[in-house]
Protein backbone atom coordinates (compact mmCIF):
# COMPACT_ATOMS: atom_id res chain seq x y z
CA UNK A 1 0.00 0.00 0.00
CA UNK A 2 2.90 2.38 0.80
CA UNK A 3 4.30 1.82 -2.66
CA UNK A 4 0.97 2.50 -4.31
CA UNK A 5 0.63 5.77 -2.42
CA UNK A 6 4.18 6.77 -3.35
CA UNK A 7 3.54 5.91 -6.99
CA UNK A 8 0.31 7.91 -6.96
CA UNK A 9 2.09 10.92 -5.44
CA UNK A 10 4.79 10.75 -8.12
CA UNK A 11 2.16 10.48 -10.87
CA UNK A 12 0.17 13.44 -9.55
CA UNK A 13 3.35 15.49 -9.12
CA UNK A 14 4.34 14.79 -12.74
CA UNK A 15 0.88 15.76 -13.98
CA UNK A 16 0.90 18.97 -11.97
CA UNK A 17 4.37 19.84 -13.28
CA UNK A 18 3.32 19.11 -16.88
CA UNK A 19 0.34 21.39 -16.35
CA UNK A 20 2.59 24.09 -14.95
CA UNK A 21 4.79 23.99 -18.04
CA UNK A 22 1.88 23.94 -20.47
CA UNK A 23 0.26 27.04 -18.92
CA UNK A 24 3.12 29.21 -20.08
CA UNK A 25 6.58 29.51 -18.64
CA UNK A 26 6.38 33.30 -18.70
CA UNK A 27 3.89 33.09 -15.83
CA UNK A 28 6.12 31.00 -13.60
CA UNK A 29 7.83 32.85 -10.79
CA UNK A 30 9.59 30.10 -8.87
CA UNK A 31 13.06 29.19 -10.10
CA UNK A 32 12.34 25.59 -9.13
CA UNK A 33 9.29 25.46 -11.45
CA UNK A 34 11.24 27.05 -14.29
CA UNK A 35 14.08 24.57 -13.72
CA UNK A 36 11.67 21.64 -13.81
CA UNK A 37 10.18 22.84 -17.09
CA UNK A 38 13.66 23.45 -18.52
CA UNK A 39 14.69 19.93 -17.55
CA UNK A 40 11.59 18.64 -19.38
CA UNK A 41 12.90 20.30 -22.55
CA UNK A 42 10.75 23.44 -22.65
CA UNK A 43 12.78 25.89 -24.77
CA UNK A 44 11.19 28.99 -23.25
CA UNK A 45 11.98 27.75 -19.75
CA UNK A 46 15.54 26.95 -20.81
CA UNK A 47 16.03 30.47 -22.13
CA UNK A 48 14.47 32.07 -19.05
CA UNK A 49 16.57 29.90 -16.74
CA UNK A 50 19.68 30.89 -18.68
CA UNK A 51 18.81 34.54 -18.21
CA UNK A 52 18.20 33.97 -14.49
CA UNK A 53 21.71 32.52 -14.14
CA UNK A 54 23.15 35.26 -16.33
CA UNK A 55 21.64 37.98 -14.15
CA UNK A 56 22.15 36.14 -10.87
CA UNK A 57 18.52 36.56 -9.82
CA UNK A 58 17.63 34.20 -6.96
CA UNK A 59 20.65 32.06 -7.89
CA UNK A 60 24.38 32.64 -7.87
CA UNK A 61 25.40 34.35 -11.11
CA UNK A 62 27.02 31.78 -13.37
CA UNK A 63 27.74 32.57 -17.03
CA UNK A 64 28.66 28.97 -17.86
CA UNK A 65 25.35 27.58 -16.63
CA UNK A 66 23.57 30.47 -18.35
CA UNK A 67 25.35 29.69 -21.61
CA UNK A 68 24.43 26.01 -21.36
CA UNK A 69 20.71 26.70 -20.87
CA UNK A 70 20.55 29.39 -23.55
CA UNK A 71 22.37 27.03 -25.95
CA UNK A 72 19.75 24.34 -25.37
CA UNK A 73 16.92 26.78 -26.05
CA UNK A 74 18.63 28.16 -29.16
CA UNK A 75 19.18 24.66 -30.54
CA UNK A 76 15.42 24.10 -30.24
CA UNK A 77 14.71 27.20 -32.32
CA UNK A 78 13.90 29.76 -29.62
CA UNK A 79 14.44 33.08 -31.46
CA UNK A 80 15.31 35.12 -28.40
CA UNK A 81 17.78 32.46 -27.28
CA UNK A 82 19.41 32.40 -30.72
CA UNK A 83 19.90 36.15 -30.57
CA UNK A 84 21.19 36.01 -26.99
CA UNK A 85 23.57 33.18 -27.84
CA UNK A 86 25.20 35.50 -30.36
CA UNK A 87 25.96 37.89 -27.51
CA UNK A 88 27.31 35.07 -25.35
CA UNK A 89 29.75 34.06 -28.08
CA UNK A 90 30.62 37.63 -29.02
CA UNK A 91 31.48 38.60 -25.44
CA UNK A 92 32.82 35.24 -24.25
CA UNK A 93 30.16 34.87 -21.55
CA UNK A 94 30.32 31.29 -20.28
CA UNK A 95 32.24 30.20 -23.34
CA UNK A 96 35.29 31.10 -25.38
CA UNK A 97 34.94 34.30 -27.44
CA UNK A 98 33.99 33.23 -30.93
CA UNK A 99 32.88 35.92 -33.34
CA UNK A 100 32.14 33.44 -36.11
CA UNK A 101 29.69 31.62 -33.85
CA UNK A 102 28.20 34.98 -32.84
CA UNK A 103 27.75 35.77 -36.52
CA UNK A 104 26.14 32.38 -37.14
CA UNK A 105 23.62 32.68 -34.31
CA UNK A 106 22.79 36.30 -35.09
CA UNK A 107 22.27 35.38 -38.75
CA UNK A 108 19.95 32.57 -37.75
CA UNK A 109 17.97 34.85 -35.46
CA UNK A 110 17.56 37.33 -38.34
CA UNK A 111 16.24 34.55 -40.57
CA UNK A 112 13.77 33.83 -37.77
CA UNK A 113 12.76 37.53 -37.68
CA UNK A 114 14.35 38.49 -34.37
CA UNK A 115 14.66 42.12 -33.34
CA UNK A 116 16.35 44.80 -35.52
CA UNK A 117 19.15 45.32 -32.99
CA UNK A 118 20.54 41.97 -34.10
CA UNK A 119 20.86 43.30 -37.67
CA UNK A 120 22.82 46.25 -36.34
CA UNK A 121 25.14 43.99 -34.34
CA UNK A 122 25.64 41.75 -37.33
CA UNK A 123 26.51 44.73 -39.53
CA UNK A 124 28.96 46.04 -36.93
CA UNK A 125 30.55 42.61 -36.70
CA UNK A 126 30.89 42.42 -40.49
CA UNK A 127 32.57 45.83 -40.56
CA UNK A 128 35.02 44.65 -37.93
CA UNK A 129 36.37 41.84 -40.11
CA UNK A 130 39.71 42.18 -41.82
CA UNK A 131 38.29 41.17 -45.20
CA UNK A 132 35.10 43.24 -44.93
CA UNK A 133 32.93 40.13 -45.25
CA UNK A 134 32.21 37.00 -43.33
CA UNK A 135 32.36 33.55 -44.76
CA UNK A 136 34.77 30.67 -45.11
CA UNK A 137 38.26 31.90 -44.36
CA UNK A 138 37.15 35.32 -43.09
CA UNK A 139 39.03 36.61 -40.08
CA UNK A 140 36.96 38.04 -37.27
CA UNK A 141 38.47 41.00 -35.45
CA UNK A 142 38.60 40.50 -31.69
Amino acid sequence: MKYLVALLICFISAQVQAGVCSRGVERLVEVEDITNCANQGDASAQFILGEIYFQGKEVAQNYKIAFDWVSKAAAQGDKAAQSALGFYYYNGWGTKKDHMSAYTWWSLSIVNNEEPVVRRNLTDLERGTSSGRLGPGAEIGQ
Side-chain angles (χ1 to χ4, degrees):
M1 184 67 169
K2 284 192 258 183
Y3 298 110
L4 183 59
V5 171
L7 182 62
L8 185 59
I9 290 171
C10 288
F11 176 76
I12 292 170
S13 175
Q15 294 304 309
V16 168
Q17 188 58 48
V20 166
C21 295
S22 67
R23 282 197 309 262
V25 174
E26 301 79 20
R27 299 166 75 190
L28 298 177
V29 293
E30 297 293 327
V31 173
E32 182 179 348
D33 289 338
I34 295 169
T35 301
N36 288 335
C37 291
N39 283 326
Q40 290 177 24
D42 184 294
S44 295
Q46 291 169 341
F47 175 63
I48 291 169
L49 189 57
E51 292 301 296
I52 288 170
Y53 275 99
F54 180 81
Q55 296 171 14
K57 290 189 174 183
E58 298 190 39
V59 296
Q61 186 176 42
N62 187 317
Y63 289 163
K64 174 65 176 128
I65 293 173
F67 172 81
D68 291 343
W69 281 116
V70 171
S71 294
K72 288 177 184 185
Q76 290 193 68
D78 186 282
K79 295 183 292 188
Q82 291 171 343
S83 173
L85 196 55
F87 287 100
Y88 280 75
Y89 277 113
Y90 184 81
N91 293 297
W93 295 330
T95 188
K96 182 180 167 197
K97 251 186 200 183
D98 182 348
H99 288 180
M100 187 60 79
S101 291
Y103 180 86
T104 300
W105 284 105
W106 281 339
S107 295
L108 186 58
S109 71
I110 287 172
V111 168
N112 289 327
N113 299 313
E114 187 51 25
E115 63 227 36
V117 71
V118 175
R119 289 187 192 278
R120 219 175 31 247
N121 291 330
L122 196 56
T123 301
D124 291 346
L125 186 58
E126 287 171 336
R127 288 183 184 143
T129 64
S130 60
S131 64
R133 67 171 186 80
L134 287 176
E139 295 177 29
I140 309 294
Q142 298 280 345

